[in-house]
Amino acid sequence: MFDRLDFSFQAGDFVCLTGKNGSGKSTFLRFLAGFIHPEQGELAYRRADDMFSEIVPDDFLLSGHQNGLKPGMTLRENADFFVRLMTGTPASSSILENATEIFSMAALLDEPVQYFSSGQRHRAALMRFALVDRQIWLMDEPTVGLDADNRAALASLITGHTARGGIVVAATHDPLGVPGVTLDMDAFQPAGLALEEAWL
Amino acid sequence: MFDRLDFSFQAGDFVCLTGKNGSGKSTFLRFLAGFIHPEQGELAYRRADDMFSEIVPDDFLLSGHQNGLKPGMTLRENADFFVRLMTGTPASSSILENATEIFSMAALLDEPVQYFSSGQRHRAALMRFALVDRQIWLMDEPTVGLDADNRAALASLITGHTARGGIVVAATHDPLGVPGVTLDMDAFQPAGLALEEAWL
Amino acid sequence: MHRFANPAQFNRLADAILPWAIGAMVLLFAAGLYTAFFASPPDYQQGESVRVMYIHAPAAWMAMFIYMVMAVASFTALVWRHPLALLAGRATAPLGAMFTALALLTGMLWGKPMWGTYWVWDGRLTSVLILFFLYLGYMALWQSVEDEEKAGRAASILALVGVVNIPIIKFSVDWWSTLHQPASVIRLDGPTIDGSMLLPLLLMAAAYQAYFIVVFLWRMKLEINRRKLAVARQAMMHAPVGAE
Amino acid sequence: MSAGQQTSMVSVFTAIVRRDVRLAWSQGGGSLLALGFFLIAVSLFPFGVGPAPQVLARIAPGVIWVVALMAAVISIDRLFQADFEDGSLDDLMLAPLGTFGMVTAKVLAHWLSTTLPLAIMAPALGVLMNLPDGAYATLIASLLIGTPALSLIGSVGAALTVAVRRGGVLMLLLILPLYVPTLIFGVGAVDAAVSLTDPLPHLALLGATTLIAAVVGLFASTAALKLAME
Amino acid sequence: MSAGQQTSMVSVFTAIVRRDVRLAWSQGGGSLLALGFFLIAVSLFPFGVGPAPQVLARIAPGVIWVVALMAAVISIDRLFQADFEDGSLDDLMLAPLGTFGMVTAKVLAHWLSTTLPLAIMAPALGVLMNLPDGAYATLIASLLIGTPALSLIGSVGAALTVAVRRGGVLMLLLILPLYVPTLIFGVGAVDAAVSLTDPLPHLALLGATTLIAAVVGLFASTAALKLAME
Ligand code: HEM
Ligand SMILES: Nc1ncnc2c1ncn2[C@@H]1O[C@H](COP(=O)(O)OP(=O)(O)OP(=O)(O)O)[C@@H](O)[C@H]1O
Ligand SMILES: Nc1ncnc2c1ncn2[C@@H]1O[C@H](COP(=O)(O)OP(=O)(O)OP(=O)(O)O)[C@@H](O)[C@H]1O
Ligand SMILES: [Mg+2]
Ligand SMILES: [Mg+2]
């Protein structure tokens, strides 16, 4: 899909993917998460113990265009299942409390998600980053539909994570107000060309 | 749903709905479009001939959280159907050309919509405002997923419409860069209370 | 093996084979149809209607054979991600469906004089019907997934799961004692059929094979061109503004 | 002015019908699959019931009608839902044609694209199920007269469940009981033909059912749809 | 460390099973509707075929099995699709359990929540269809042994069509042919019980089919699912 894409991230990086519509930001995030396999080239990952290894899904959290919430369940039930799914243990109440506070969701905790407005849903989806401890966060357009207060909350969540040595890769059209590297997807060879060579 | 909501728009207005997540912007737009009926109060509409009348759906165009495009059809087919649906005549090529130019969609015109990225889809949905001539435009978060160039295109589209005497009501968290009235939904009574009064 | 991964190579190979295959097909059909309808004796039991067999039995063999070709292509596509293998599966499926339909139709037409009914729910007949459905499902899956590559791989998985059906067709007559007669040509202890009937049967089988090869190569070339076109279109769509 | 208005409504109507027929037959559309379901589900019965030709012949009209009904219901479940999910239902309802006309156009398109082909395909399944020779004409006639009712009644269920996730199966529950009269008269006609009596009274009743379904179905669907969009 | 890892995998597995069972039985979930479909569709047959008791008894095992199979297929069509549409399938696949374990958990949940209740409800429908007294035990046994195969084979279809709009009906087309062996052996067992012969050989073959379905089904579903997510 991409040609001549050669880069590396390291602990503490905040990478902001920018680029025109259709430049491949979403595709790139799904590629990082291991859903899409590269046609050529490889993705390597160096652990703390200095060994290169393949990507291990345990180290990622991804929030995409969909929010991954079950409309019929309350926010609390959704969050609890998410934690169980990712760690095998139930969500401790302190973690849950902390996560709800960030995007001020406390009042909505026991409401079924189907009654949320679009922004509330999106905030509920972003709570995952505070619920589970993973090193690499992949965020696709995290600011969509957020009001000003919540954008600020998002920015400080990201800053906190990178300060602790986490990596955040976010595709966005809105400046997040977090200092970091910007990767402009427009600069890379567009999709389809790698394939073309083999076929034409 | 809302209490103490009393306002009027008139030709040439650009109304920007702002407010926290869940303050009722989307609901209000659907209410204006006639999908939701008020529990009390009424919505009146004064035509050029100075007669009050009920809302006629012919005067609205709405773009919501979904984009209303058929993924299997090309953009041209989608646009053509939209024009036929709204006017009963096929889309003239000059109108189609003009509409594609605004959001620079010309290269995508004969591609099936399913291959579009999220921003491209959203732009395709916004094309409707240039395809059909209606006075009142209702836009729910029109900037979502648009890159900088296309936000500017959107702003000039809106400015042009209000200059011709159209009305634009847009719910958004991003400033659009278009001068107009701002209606802050947070200032109104929150949801649920109108109902409550009747029951207590 | 990766020599054929290159579509251009494959096209050249196909162009080399095609004239020979077409010639063989014409000759074999001429000889097969002549011996089947004029130069072979009527059966002492079935009379003239035995001639349906020369159309029917080889068609039934082809139906199973092509499914195996499709399964092998699918396996190759899934395991080695061989791009042409996907197209090969796609090219064979309609042919397989066609031969299956031919076997079903001729069988039904034959069934009326032989068994007194067009259709019975005999093990052999029903498993061929299932084979037909599998072909349809394979093609429907190719049609309905948006991304070509994905569609092909999904259809390949289905094709492999469906392989379970092939032994059922082959051995159903032995497992269930039913109306349909057991194999008399393709069996371990050699054919048990009279030579005068065996010859047209084998000629027709060879003619079907030649037909399969010809149409298969044509369809492959078609698929390759279609694919090229799609890739070119995609490339154009994604070309950066002002790059050319 | 009024005449011009009129013409344009007709072309909006045909635009909707043509779009829906096209979508139904295009990649991933429902018609081909409904036909496939019809074919496969009927051919499962001999596996279940056993191959005895006289038993098959006895149950053939019933099985063909019941499965046709299921194929119709399965394909109609997304009559409005697909448009609801991608947001185009909003547009359809804001169009100058109005909700009632739009619903009529969509039901007509469903009948043309899906239930009518079921009727046309039925004879082939009659052969599979050993239907007696004399009954084919009546089978087709009964399906031609009865299938519009399947689309019409189905549209009520589709409209009622449009805002519900997994509407499809909920709709089955709402709709299948309403299909019973159509089923009884339809099978009655074919059975009459099988037993060499006059199928006409059954066909007349079937036609009446379809007419009632047309009136009640279109209004009920329109009302249900408006409700769902609130 | 390794033991701790182990426990946590088991609890992830049970978390998925419990969630899916809960969703299946909650508002808008599929289980209740599959049961409703089973009930209504079977009760349509007396209308279609006519009420003659001996005809009904003759076709009862077949009809019950065929409709159970359709109910299973209709309810399994959204096994992965619902999660795919709302994005939670991404999370499920990024979970430490891995795709194979996740698929196994979801198939198990489907069997527990939907196809197992079908087996339990079948005797009631046997009464509606005049099933002879001696056949009830075998009916239940055959459904208990055969229904896991329905969930397993169905999951392949669900995974293959996950990224397809209107997957439901396409899935029917892919899956119904693969259900045939299960159907034949299942009905064979009940028929044997009705005709007072030994149903055990049929049940043994049915069990073998289920085992093959377990192996082939889980691997094929996993592969198909990974593909769909690309
Ligand atoms: C729709 C109905 C029918 C179907 C689906 C069908 C299917 C098949 C199949 C799959 C074979 C290949 C067998 C093998 O290689 O093991 C076959 C061969 C054959 N069939 Fe049929 N058949 C049908 C009807 C009939 C009828 C009515 C007759 C005549 C009574 C018949 C006579 C034969 C004969 C003679 C062969 C060649 C057997 C051999 O030499 O291997 N079939 N058929
Ligand atoms: N279908 C529904 N049923 C009940 N309540 C709903 C429904 N949809 C929305 N609400 C509630 O109505 C309120 C207003 O929702 P609305 O979607 O209009 O908000 P919004 O201003 O558009 O928010 P956002 O900025 O997040 O898009 C919210 O509190 C929400 O919980
Ligand atoms: N399923 C698909 N099949 C084929 N092409 C696709 C598919 N999905 C996306 N594309 C193409 O890949 C390109 C990259 O899409 P992607 O969604 O990654 O863009 P993006 O940078 O996220 O854009 P946006 O800002 O609009 O979200 C687009 O040009 C799009 O047309
Ligand atoms: Mg994107
Ligand atoms: Mg909103």
Side-chain angles (χ1 to χ4, degrees), chain E residues 5-227:
Chain E
Q5 200 77 350
Q6 205 65 28
T7 343
S8 115
M9 287 306 152
V10 172
S11 62
V12 173
F13 188 89
T14 45
I16 298 176
V17 174
R18 285 177 52 196
R19 176 189 87 140
D20 267 37
V21 170
R22 219 197 111 175
L23 287 174
W25 278 97
S26 70
Q27 223 190 52
S31 296
L32 214 66
L33 297 167
L35 290 176
F37 173 77
F38 189 40
L39 188 67
I40 293 185
V42 171
S43 33
L44 282 183
F45 276 89
F47 293 106
V49 173
Q54 65 290 4
V55 176
L56 287 181
R58 172 76 187 73
I59 64 171
V63 167
I64 292 177
W65 254 97
V66 170
V67 176
L69 200 149
M70 289 180 187
V73 98
I74 283 175
S75 64
I76 213 170
D77 77 331
R78 290 180 65 80
L79 184 68
F80 303 111
Q81 187 129 33
D83 290 337
F84 175 73
E85 280 168 8
D86 66 21
S88 50
L89 194 55
D90 281 356
D91 296 334
L92 288 169
M93 292 186 74
L94 286 181
L97 186 59
T99 309
F100 185 83
M102 183 269 282
V103 169
T104 313
K106 285 185 78 79
V107 172
L108 179 64
H110 181 264
W111 182 69
L112 286 174
S113 64
T114 311
T115 39
L116 184 59
L118 289 181
I120 296 171
M121 216 177 74
L125 295 174
V127 176
L128 276 184
M129 294 290 291
N130 248 59
L131 190 73
D133 288 345
Y136 284 87
T138 316
L139 178 65
I140 299 178
S142 73
L143 283 167
L144 284 181
I145 299 174
T147 45
L150 299 185
S151 295
L152 287 159
I153 299 174
S155 77
V156 181
L160 280 172
T161 54
V162 70
V164 182
R165 275 146 210 281
R166 308 203 41 114
V169 198
L170 172 59
M171 207 197 57
L172 286 173
L173 189 63
L174 303 181
I175 287 310
L176 287 182
L178 297 176
Y179 275 169
V180 169
T182 306
L183 178 63
I184 289 179
F185 299 133
V187 175
V190 187
D191 274 342
V194 169
S195 56
L196 302 174
T197 57
D198 185 12
L200 271 188
H202 296 274
L203 291 178
L205 283 171
L206 188 61
T209 315
T210 301
L211 287 182
I212 295 176
V215 178
V216 177
L218 292 177
F219 281 101
S221 308
T222 308
L225 203 57
K226 282 190 179 153
L227 186 71

Side-chain angles (χ1 to χ4, degrees), chain D residues 19-42:
Chain D
R19 175 189 88 140
D20 267 38
V21 171
R22 221 198 108 175
L23 287 174
W25 278 97
S26 71
Q27 230 189 46
S31 296
L32 215 66
L33 296 167
L35 290 176
F37 172 77
F38 189 39
L39 186 67
I40 293 184
V42 170

Side-chain angles (χ1 to χ4, degrees), chain C residues 5 11 25 33 68 71 85 126 147 155 167 190 208 231 233 238:
Chain C
N11 266 346
M25 178 182 79
L33 289 174
M68 289 318 292
T126 42
D147 175 338
Y208 281 171
V231 169
R233 252 168 53 129
H238 297 299

Side-chain angles (χ1 to χ4, degrees), chain A residues 115-120, chain B residues 1 20-27 141 173:
Chain A
Y115 298 125
F116 287 13
S117 76
S118 63
Q120 288 164 345
Chain B
M1 168 112 192
K20 287 208 161 43
N21 292 139
S23 56
K25 300 179 293 299
S26 304
T27 312
E141 310 207 13
H173 296 289

